[in-house]
Amino acid sequence: MKIMVAIKRVVDYAVKIRIKSDKTGVETANVKMSMNPFCEIALEVALRMKESGVASEVIAVSMGPSQCVDTLRTGLAMGADRAIHVDAPSTLYPLTVAKLLKALVQVEKPGLLILGKQAIDDDCNQTGQMVAGLLNWPQGTFASKVVVDKEKKAATVDREVDGGLETLCLDLPAVITTDLRLNQPRYATLPNIMKAKSKPIKKMSLAELNVDLRSDLEVVQVTAPPVRKAGVILSSVDELVDKLKNEAHVI
Ligand code: AMP
């Protein structure tokens, strides 16, 4: 069974996000970019499935400008067998990415498509659900545990929901999106970074996949949240009660 993993190149999690002065989005010029942390977790679970004999091949895919190749190279260094880069502008809406993933699935025919639960740049948390809908495949989102039964062609997924854990059994092929507690992704070792240089990265265009970029969504404005006022340290409970009563008017 092949596993396809969608990997997004995003602003590094340690960078403090800045909004562009024209309020059209987040500043990415001269900013450190990395693999989306939830995509690292998605790749890690796929690699563990290959190592345990459940999967035969792991294919990493990414859509965006040419720099996505660096992120895919990191994925190859972690252990993916090959990669596909879909050449596209940097701003892609989740539905467009979902359509592109559907087109790639139709070419590669994987048994599992694994994505991060959300990208930390736009925090959309939509792509996995949308591609499952477009493919008419079962979906297990926010996975904190995944067990695949190769014989039964099924996956058992524990998912983190508001009230606790929900366990789903999905017939394969299926879509899984990964949550934080699923695993601890590995670091690429130096020998694997060297090996990754010779692994294949296929470049595809939007036209080849027959997907156009038109979207029903338009981002009107991106703004930073209001700055929070500094807190105060109170000397007694009486003072706290007084402030809650007479300033905040909540008691
Ligand atoms: P989102 O719905 O934007 O929060 O993204 C959820 C997941 O979809 C990410 O963790 C990725 O696995 C995948 N994804 C979103 N955008 C891209 C992209 N441009 N290239 C590859 N994968 C993507």
Side-chain angles (χ1 to χ4, degrees):
M1 176 178 79
K2 285 189 207 174
I3 302 181
M4 185 180 280
V5 184
I7 284 174
K8 189 173 185 188
R9 177 176 176 269
V10 295
V11 173
D12 188 88
Y13 72 92
V15 171
K16 193 170 180 319
I17 297 283
R18 279 179 296 119
I19 306 292
K20 284 186 190 163
S21 53
D22 62 3
K23 298 190 175 171
T24 53
V26 167
E27 190 61 76
T28 52
N30 300 320
V31 170
K32 183 174 182 238
M33 306 290 283
S34 305
M35 188 186 299
N36 180 43
F38 292 106
C39 300
E40 289 181 345
I41 296 170
L43 183 55
E44 179 66 35
V45 73
L47 295 174
R48 290 186 193 185
M49 284 180 202
K50 186 177 169 202
E51 286 159 358
S52 66
V54 168
S56 53
E57 191 181 31
V58 175
I59 309 160
V61 303
S62 192
M63 293 98 198
S66 56
Q67 296 92 325
C68 288
V69 169
D70 299 339
T71 315
L72 286 172
R73 248 337 136 205
T74 306
L76 294 172
M78 282 173 71
D81 297 288
R82 61 188 170 92
I84 301 174
H85 168 224
V86 180
D87 196 21
S90 53
T91 310
L92 291 173
Y93 292 107
L95 185 56
T96 313
V97 177
K99 286 179 184 168
L100 288 166
L101 286 171
K102 179 185 175 187
L104 288 173
V105 161
Q106 284 166 341
V107 175
E108 294 289 345
K109 305 197 171 19
L112 264 179
L113 171 61
I114 311 183
L115 303 90
K117 78 163 178 183
Q118 74 193 61
I120 62 163
D121 50 0
D122 55 20
D123 273 342
C124 278
N125 182 356
Q126 294 171 3
T127 312
Q129 295 85 333
M130 284 177 169
V131 69
L134 293 175
L135 287 165
N136 204 18
W137 283 8
Q139 57 180 292
T141 53
F142 316 129
S144 58
K145 186 175 171 197
V146 180
V147 179
V148 172
D149 186 329
K150 217 165 113 182
E151 310 308 315
K152 290 193 186 141
K153 289 202 168 137
T156 308
V157 176
D158 284 357
R159 54 192 303 266
E160 299 192 349
V161 292
D162 281 349
L165 283 183
E166 179 183 53
T167 303
L168 297 177
C169 190
L170 314 174
D171 289 331
L172 301 184
V175 174
I176 290 175
T177 76
T178 54
D179 214 325
L180 204 60
R181 277 159 288 273
L182 179 59
N183 59 44
Q184 180 79 46
R186 69 196 64 190
Y187 289 106
T189 59
L190 191 58
N192 286 344
I193 293 173
M194 301 312 287
K195 259 193 237 162
K197 292 186 196 248
S198 55
K199 289 186 181 176
I201 299 182
K202 183 174 168 187
K203 184 170 170 174
M204 296 188 85
S205 66
L206 296 170
E208 268 173 283
L209 295 169
N210 207 11
V211 173
D212 77 41
L213 290 176
R214 247 174 316 138
S215 169
D216 295 332
L217 278 181
E218 184 197 350
V219 174
V220 181
Q221 201 179 70
V222 178
T223 51
V227 182
R228 286 178 64 178
K229 280 200 245 150
V232 285
I233 296 175
L234 304 176
S235 52
S236 69
V237 174
D238 288 344
E239 208 183 331
L240 173 65
V241 171
D242 178 63
K243 283 198 181 287
L244 290 175
K245 216 183 238 172
N246 302 316
E247 279 183 26
H249 304 292
V250 291
I251 55 173

